[in-house]
Amino acid sequence: MASQPGLDARPLPTTFVLELTRQCNNHCLYCYTPWGAESLGYQPQTSPEMQTAEIKNVIAQLQDEVAPKTIGLSGGEPFMREDLPEILSFMLKRGVDPTIITNGTLITKELAAAAAGVGSLCEVSLLSYRREVHDHLAGRGGAWDAAVDGLIHLNQAGGNSIVGFVATQLNYMDLYKTVELAIGLGATGLMYNRMNLGAHNLRHADRLLPTPAMIRENLEMLEALDDKYKLPIVVSVVVEPCVVDVRNYPSLHFGWCPLAGERSYFTIDPVGNVRICNHSPTIVGNIHRDHFPDIYYHHPYVRRFRETWPVECAECAPELKEMCGGGCKAAGEQCFGTLERVDPFVTLHRRQGASPSSCKPAGSSQV
C-alpha cells in the first residue's frame, strides 16, 4: 500500500498492552474486555491462547520493529498465567519495562518477589475501602481481602504498586478513604478511571455509569488528596471537558485519546490480534502475520480513527477539541456502531433523561 507524503514521519508508539489471557477469577460488573459481548463479533475465544514461546516472540518482534519502552501485561487476569515470572524475566533481559495490570487477588509472597525482582510496576484494582462494595463490583466474595493481601505482599517485597480506582455510582463516594487505605498499604500512585461503557458492561450502565456531578466531586477529592499527600494521580479514562471542565483541577494529570499516534498503547490480545487500544474491539491485524509499522502507517481503519471527528464535536471550542481529541471514540463506536458518534458519557448527559441502556453494541469488529 502506497504511503501518503509525510505519513511515515509519524513517530512510532513506545507503549503497548499485551493481553496475556482472557481468563479471570473476578467477574467485574464494569469490565469492558471486548470478548465479553458476543454482539460485538469479537472472536478470540475460538483460538488457543499464545504459549510462552509465542509471547516471547511477540515481544521480540515488537522490539525489532518498534523498540517499545514499556509493555503492559493484562488480561483477563495476568497472574492466572503460571509463566508470568518467566515472561517478566524475558522482558528484563530484553530491556523492556513491564507494567502488570491486575486485580491483585493472586499475588502471593513468591509472585510479589518475582515482580519486584524485575522492577515491575503493578497496577492493582482497589474499588473501595469497604469490603462489601469492592466485592460486589468485582463480582465475587473474598476479592477485597485477597487484593489487600496482594498489596501487602508487594510492599513487603519492595515492589512498586499503584492503585487503580474505577468510579461508578456505587463507589464514587468511597474514593478519599480508599486512596488513604491504598497509601497505608504501600501504593505510590493512583490511576483514577471513570467507568467507560463498552462490551458487556452496557447491561449494568443504568446503575453504574457515574454522572458529571459525581466526577466533579471525585476530582475535588483528588485535588485535596494531592495537596495532603503529594501522591502522583493520573485520570486515565477521558473526562470530556465539554461535560466536566477539567481545567479547574490543575494538580491532576488527565489522559486524552492519543488518536492512534505515538502516545497510543496499541493492544495485542491473547491470540495476537492487534487493536487501537484495550477498550477498542476493532481488530486491525494480527502480530503473527503482520508487521506493526504496516498496521500503524497504512491500515485504513487506523487512518480513519485518527481523522474522524464525532459529529457532536463540530461546534466545540477549538481549545477543547485539541485537548480531548474527540473523547473516547472506542466507547462511541461500541455503543453506536460508528466513529462519528461521541462517547456516550457525553451524549447521555447532554440529553436530559437519557438512559445508558439506549446504547446498542455494534456488529463485526474485524476490519
Side-chain angles (χ1 to χ4, degrees):
M1 187 178 298
S3 298
Q4 295 178 357
L7 187 64
D8 288 2
R10 182 189 296 271
L12 288 160
T14 59
T15 300
F16 287 80
V17 172
L18 184 54
E19 295 169 334
L20 296 178
T21 180
R22 54 186 171 269
Q23 299 178 69
C24 190
N25 58 333
N26 280 359
H27 308 283
C28 298
L29 301 183
Y30 56 84
C31 182
Y32 57 74
T33 50
W35 53 80
E38 293 181 3
S39 57
L40 291 175
Y42 196 91
Q43 300 294 330
Q45 61 268 38
T46 59
S47 301
E49 297 179 352
M50 288 185 284
Q51 298 298 307
T52 310
E54 294 175 291
I55 291 172
K56 290 180 179 179
N57 287 338
V58 168
I59 294 169
Q61 179 181 338
L62 288 175
Q63 277 200 299
D64 291 340
E65 296 180 351
V66 190
K69 296 178 180 177
T70 303
I71 295 180
L73 304 176
S74 72
E77 171 49 50
F79 277 101
M80 293 197 75
R81 288 199 62 125
E82 294 181 359
D83 59 356
L84 181 59
E86 184 177 349
I87 294 169
L88 292 173
S89 296
F90 179 79
M91 292 176 67
L92 177 65
K93 292 176 183 177
R94 302 283 302 205
V96 181
D97 294 332
T99 296
I100 306 174
I101 304 166
T102 173
N103 61 39
T105 61
L106 299 176
I107 304 177
T108 62
K109 292 180 179 179
E110 294 75 19
L111 288 174
V118 298
S120 298
L121 172 65
C122 290
E123 179 192 326
V124 180
S125 299
L126 190 63
L127 306 171
S128 176
Y129 68 93
R130 293 182 289 166
R131 176 183 288 104
E132 66 276 12
V133 174
H134 178 104
D135 286 357
H136 178 66
L137 288 170
R140 70 179 182 94
W144 186 89
D145 289 285
V148 167
D149 285 345
L151 283 164
I152 292 172
H153 294 328
L154 285 168
N155 187 35
Q156 291 176 341
N160 186 11
S161 65
I162 64 173
V163 156
F165 182 92
V166 180
T168 72
Q169 292 182 35
L170 304 182
N171 70 333
Y172 79 95
M173 70 291 292
D174 294 351
L175 175 63
Y176 198 99
K177 289 185 178 180
T178 303
V179 175
E180 290 193 317
L181 171 62
I183 294 171
L185 293 170
T188 59
L190 172 71
M191 182 167 289
Y192 171 88
N193 296 323
R194 65 167 177 83
M195 177 187 174
N196 205 4
L197 288 182
H200 59 319
N201 73 24
L202 288 174
R203 67 185 186 272
H204 302 300
D206 287 320
R207 65 189 182 101
L208 291 186
L209 186 68
T211 66
M214 295 173 185
I215 299 300
R216 292 188 194 96
E217 184 175 334
N218 274 181
L219 296 180
E220 291 170 3
M221 290 181 187
L222 294 176
E223 283 275 312
L225 285 162
D226 175 81
D227 183 63
K228 184 175 182 179
Y229 295 106
K230 308 304 179 187
L231 186 75
I233 298 172
V234 175
V235 181
S236 185
V237 173
V238 174
V239 177
E240 287 84 358
C242 61
V243 178
V244 176
D245 192 346
V246 298
R247 295 170 293 184
N248 294 329
Y249 312 97
S251 298
L252 309 180
H253 176 77
F254 289 89
W256 310 107
C257 179
L259 298 176
E262 62 182 298
R263 294 183 296 106
S264 296
Y265 45 96
F266 278 76
T267 298
I268 300 169
D269 79 4
V271 300
N273 294 322
V274 181
R275 310 196 308 277
I276 291 283
C277 67
N278 60 352
H279 192 70
S280 173
T282 302
I283 298 169
V284 294
N286 188 285
I287 200 66
H288 298 307
R289 66 171 184 266
D290 301 313
H291 296 293
F292 179 79
D294 289 340
I295 296 172
Y296 183 74
Y297 289 120
H298 306 308
H299 196 286
Y301 177 85
V302 177
R303 292 183 182 180
R304 191 161 68 250
F305 190 92
R306 292 173 182 146
E307 297 167 359
T308 302
W309 283 86
V311 294
E312 295 91 342
C313 299
E315 303 301 322
C316 190
E319 177 187 358
L320 298 187
K321 288 179 68 174
E322 183 177 354
M323 183 185 299
C324 85
C328 183
K329 294 181 183 179
E333 184 177 28
Q334 288 192 60
C335 286
F336 304 116
T338 175
L339 292 172
E340 295 180 354
R341 291 296 306 277
V342 77
D343 183 341
F345 181 69
V346 176
T347 305
L348 295 169
H349 296 302
R350 285 182 175 176
R351 292 162 43 202
Q352 294 295 323
S355 168
S357 60
S358 64
C359 295
K360 301 298 181 184
S364 175
S365 61
Q366 180 97 32
V367 296

